[in-house]
Amino acid sequence: MTGTTQDTTAPHAVDPARTGPLDAPPATGREDLPAVRRDAATALRALIEAAQDLDDDSLGSPSSLDGWTVGHVLSHVAMVGEALARQAELAAQGETAEVYEGGAEGRAAGIEAGAHRTRDEHVAALTAAGTRLEAAWSLTDSTGWDAPVTYREGTVADVLDCWWREVRIHATDLGEVSAAQRLTPSQTWGLAFTDHLLDFLSPRLPGPVVTVRHEDGARSVVGPEGVWPAVENTSTDDGLTTVAGSAADVAAWLAGRATATDPTAHRHGETVDLPTLGPWPSGVPVRR
């Protein structure tokens, strides 16, 4: 995944009581880390349970990702789990290393090799990754979540966030398998996760928009610099596009995934196209 150049234009008409993302507290001040850890573990259990029901035909069937089978997705999740656990383990020792041994070529080769595992081998690989991650998180509880890592020039807390995204998002990428196992964004992405994706993926937007969440009408300004609650009439006063939909559908659209119902976009009372999204932001340093 590649980085993108961030627009430094600040959103307009936001709640003045809020500070921007650069004023966020350090990782050790994040009270949500235990909940993130639990939800990531829940997502992995659901993915493992889905894998246990697969046969060879299902493993070789197309995923939602171009050129990848279901087996490729499962291989990638297990491999990224091992890689991120390694990031946390090394950080606890005051050391760092590239995310994947062998870099991009090592990553691609590992995914391809693992894609052809049997069902039981996929289940074993995913289970082993989960066990290693849990041990790494427990170690981090003692050594500190703000230890530096090479992943996005961030901290171990950012590594946990990455794992949360990887396992939650890729569980929805199994094509027909995800639909059959009820592993879709609308069925598995809670509000905490969709709020996280809104912030993480906001650099993909070319400029600020106002999002309106169907569940409760919550309005936010979302743009390259982050997310803020929107004051009343923000889109009308500032000529911003309003993107409306369920929390899961808006997050899935930003993530480039299929939505249950496409979000709608309006500006000045007229229906317009949804904004064109830029690259995935994983290749850029963590935004504080």
Side-chain angles (χ1 to χ4, degrees):
M1 299 176 183
T2 59
T4 183
T5 302
Q6 294 188 18
D7 182 351
T8 57
T9 303
H12 300 289
V14 298
D15 184 345
R18 284 281 298 212
T19 56
L22 293 176
D23 297 314
T28 48
R30 284 184 49 184
E31 297 180 355
D32 66 325
L33 292 177
V36 170
R37 180 175 165 181
R38 288 192 300 270
D39 193 56
T42 298
L44 180 60
R45 284 195 299 271
L47 184 61
I48 291 172
E49 289 172 2
Q52 288 171 333
D53 290 337
L54 302 181
D55 55 22
D56 289 343
D57 288 341
S58 297
L59 288 169
S61 64
S63 74
S64 301
L65 303 177
D66 289 343
W68 275 14
T69 65
V70 169
H72 283 89
V73 176
L74 297 178
S75 175
H76 170 61
V77 173
M79 188 173 180
V80 75
E82 296 281 358
L84 294 176
R86 177 170 168 260
Q87 289 277 293
E89 292 161 357
L90 289 173
Q93 302 169 31
E95 301 175 9
T96 61
E98 60 185 345
V99 176
Y100 291 100
E101 296 185 60
E105 291 183 359
R107 171 186 178 275
I111 292 170
E112 184 61 33
H116 306 287
R117 293 175 177 135
T118 65
R119 176 197 61 195
D120 290 346
E121 288 171 338
H122 277 298
V123 169
L126 290 166
T127 301
T131 299
R132 185 175 177 183
L133 282 161
E134 285 304 311
W137 307 146
S138 294
L139 180 63
T140 302
D141 281 337
S142 299
T143 58
W145 287 89
D146 57 354
V149 295
T150 58
Y151 167 72
R152 298 184 74 220
E153 301 176 24
T155 67
V156 183
D158 301 310
V159 170
L160 173 58
D161 284 340
C162 177
W163 171 241
W164 191 26
R165 291 190 299 273
E166 291 286 337
V167 69
R168 272 284 173 218
I169 292 174
H170 284 309
T172 71
D173 287 335
L174 305 180
E176 294 182 358
V177 172
S178 288
Q181 298 284 349
R182 299 176 64 84
L183 295 176
T184 64
S186 62
Q187 293 167 313
T188 60
W189 293 3
L191 288 180
F193 185 66
T194 58
D195 283 349
H196 169 70
L197 281 188
L198 210 64
D199 182 59
F200 176 73
L201 297 173
S202 61
R204 300 193 73 189
L205 289 162
V209 302
V210 175
T211 61
V212 180
R213 194 163 67 194
H214 281 173
E215 287 87 343
D216 55 8
R219 294 162 53 86
S220 301
V221 174
V222 182
E225 288 194 339
V227 181
W228 295 266
V231 298
E232 189 176 358
N233 296 324
T234 297
S235 59
T236 300
D237 294 342
D238 295 276
L240 301 182
T241 297
T242 295
V243 175
S246 71
D249 285 340
V250 173
W253 162 65
L254 278 174
R257 265 60 184 184
T259 58
T261 303
D262 289 340
T264 59
H266 295 84
R267 186 169 59 247
H268 298 307
E270 300 291 333
T271 300
V272 296
D273 292 336
L274 287 164
T276 300
L277 300 176
W280 194 272
S282 286
V284 298
V286 174
R287 181 178 57 201
R288 296 291 181 199

